[in-house]
Short mmCIF file of all heavy atoms in Angstrom, two decimals:
data_model
loop_
_atom_site.label_atom_id
_atom_site.label_comp_id
_atom_site.label_asym_id
_atom_site.label_seq_id
_atom_site.Cartn_x
_atom_site.Cartn_y
_atom_site.Cartn_z
N VAL A 354 -9.03 10.15 6.53
CA VAL A 354 -7.76 9.42 6.58
C VAL A 354 -6.56 10.35 6.74
O VAL A 354 -5.55 9.96 7.31
CB VAL A 354 -7.63 8.55 5.31
CG1 VAL A 354 -6.24 7.93 5.21
CG2 VAL A 354 -8.69 7.46 5.30
N THR A 355 -6.66 11.56 6.25
CA THR A 355 -5.51 12.48 6.22
C THR A 355 -4.75 12.58 7.54
O THR A 355 -3.51 12.51 7.54
CB THR A 355 -5.97 13.89 5.78
OG1 THR A 355 -6.34 13.83 4.39
CG2 THR A 355 -4.86 14.91 5.93
N PRO A 356 -5.40 12.73 8.69
CA PRO A 356 -4.61 12.85 9.94
C PRO A 356 -3.78 11.62 10.27
O PRO A 356 -2.83 11.71 11.05
CB PRO A 356 -5.70 13.09 11.01
CG PRO A 356 -6.89 13.59 10.26
CD PRO A 356 -6.84 12.89 8.94
N GLY A 357 -4.13 10.47 9.70
CA GLY A 357 -3.42 9.24 10.01
C GLY A 357 -2.31 8.90 9.05
O GLY A 357 -1.67 7.84 9.19
N VAL A 358 -2.04 9.75 8.06
CA VAL A 358 -0.98 9.52 7.08
C VAL A 358 0.13 10.54 7.32
O VAL A 358 -0.14 11.72 7.53
CB VAL A 358 -1.50 9.64 5.64
CG1 VAL A 358 -0.38 9.39 4.63
CG2 VAL A 358 -2.63 8.63 5.42
N VAL A 359 1.37 10.08 7.31
CA VAL A 359 2.50 10.95 7.64
C VAL A 359 3.53 10.93 6.51
O VAL A 359 3.53 10.04 5.66
CB VAL A 359 3.18 10.51 8.95
CG1 VAL A 359 2.19 10.52 10.10
CG2 VAL A 359 3.80 9.12 8.80
N SER A 360 4.39 11.93 6.53
CA SER A 360 5.55 11.95 5.64
C SER A 360 6.79 11.72 6.49
O SER A 360 6.85 12.12 7.66
CB SER A 360 5.65 13.28 4.89
OG SER A 360 5.72 14.37 5.80
N ILE A 361 7.81 11.08 5.91
CA ILE A 361 9.02 10.72 6.63
C ILE A 361 10.22 11.29 5.90
O ILE A 361 10.34 11.14 4.68
CB ILE A 361 9.14 9.19 6.77
CG1 ILE A 361 7.92 8.65 7.53
CG2 ILE A 361 10.43 8.80 7.46
CD1 ILE A 361 7.85 7.14 7.58
N ALA A 362 11.11 11.94 6.64
CA ALA A 362 12.28 12.58 6.03
C ALA A 362 13.50 12.41 6.93
O ALA A 362 13.39 12.10 8.13
CB ALA A 362 12.00 14.06 5.80
N LYS A 363 14.67 12.61 6.32
CA LYS A 363 15.92 12.52 7.08
C LYS A 363 16.13 13.75 7.95
O LYS A 363 16.82 13.69 8.97
CB LYS A 363 17.10 12.36 6.13
CG LYS A 363 17.13 11.06 5.36
CD LYS A 363 18.36 10.98 4.49
CE LYS A 363 18.41 9.66 3.73
NZ LYS A 363 19.62 9.56 2.87
N GLU A 364 15.57 14.88 7.52
CA GLU A 364 15.75 16.13 8.24
C GLU A 364 14.39 16.78 8.49
O GLU A 364 13.42 16.50 7.79
CB GLU A 364 16.64 17.08 7.44
CG GLU A 364 18.03 16.53 7.14
CD GLU A 364 18.83 17.47 6.27
OE1 GLU A 364 18.27 18.49 5.83
OE2 GLU A 364 20.02 17.19 6.03
N ALA A 365 14.36 17.64 9.48
CA ALA A 365 13.12 18.37 9.76
C ALA A 365 12.82 19.31 8.61
O ALA A 365 13.73 19.92 8.04
CB ALA A 365 13.26 19.15 11.06
N PRO A 366 11.55 19.46 8.22
CA PRO A 366 11.20 20.37 7.12
C PRO A 366 11.52 21.80 7.48
O PRO A 366 11.43 22.19 8.66
CB PRO A 366 9.70 20.15 6.94
CG PRO A 366 9.23 19.63 8.25
CD PRO A 366 10.36 18.81 8.80
N PRO A 367 11.90 22.63 6.53
CA PRO A 367 12.22 24.03 6.82
C PRO A 367 10.99 24.79 7.27
O PRO A 367 9.87 24.49 6.86
CB PRO A 367 12.75 24.56 5.48
CG PRO A 367 12.12 23.67 4.46
CD PRO A 367 12.01 22.32 5.10
N PRO A 368 11.16 25.80 8.11
CA PRO A 368 10.01 26.60 8.54
C PRO A 368 9.48 27.45 7.39
O PRO A 368 10.20 27.75 6.45
CB PRO A 368 10.59 27.48 9.66
CG PRO A 368 12.04 27.57 9.34
CD PRO A 368 12.42 26.25 8.72
N GLY A 369 8.23 27.79 7.48
CA GLY A 369 7.66 28.65 6.43
C GLY A 369 6.37 28.07 5.90
O GLY A 369 5.30 28.61 6.14
#
Side-chain angles (χ1 to χ4, degrees):
V354 172
T355 291
V358 180
V359 302
S360 58
I361 300 173
K363 294 182 179 180
E364 301 176 355

